[in-house]
Amino acid sequence: MELKPMMPGTRQSDRLLTPNLAAFLPDPAPQQPLIDLRDQPSPDILRLLAIGSPPVVNGCVITLYRLGYARPEEWSRPLPTANSNEVMRILTKRMTLLEQE
């Protein structure tokens, strides 16, 4: 990896963030969220997040299915991330809490 010299008076963090600034600006026309996570807070709700390349994420989903943990249709559809060739899928499960004695 080749490092380019910084311009005088420019912090490295400024140089790294400036090209991607548009990704952080608000969307001019707000859209429906891809997935709604605003359900009522509950101590028995668990969310798992799988992030990686599409084959790796789908492999994780299939592995958890084979282990009997969750069916593939319980996961969200693959959602794009800020990184190219990377997706995320979210699983929301209601867990049974065991009473502590």
Side-chain angles (χ1 to χ4, degrees), residues 13-75:
S13 60
D14 290 343
R15 186 172 55 88
L16 294 175
L17 291 178
T18 303
N20 297 326
L21 187 58
F24 297 102
L25 296 176
D27 196 2
Q31 300 173 358
Q32 265 316 83
L34 295 174
I35 189 162
D36 189 357
L37 300 177
R38 295 175 294 169
D39 53 355
Q40 294 297 319
S42 174
D44 59 347
I45 294 288
L46 172 69
R47 287 197 176 90
L48 297 177
L49 184 61
I51 302 174
S53 68
V56 168
V57 170
N58 289 331
C60 173
V61 169
I62 296 302
T63 299
L64 289 175
Y65 170 67
R66 288 179 178 158
L67 291 172
Y69 188 74
R71 295 185 318 271
E73 60 270 13
E74 294 179 273
W75 290 80

Side-chain angles (χ1 to χ4, degrees), residues 68-89:
Y69 188 74
R71 295 185 318 271
E73 60 270 13
E74 294 179 273
W75 290 80
S76 71
R77 71 183 194 281
L79 305 167
T81 68
N83 298 323
S84 63
N85 198 30
E86 183 179 74
V87 296
M88 66 178 171
R89 291 183 75 175

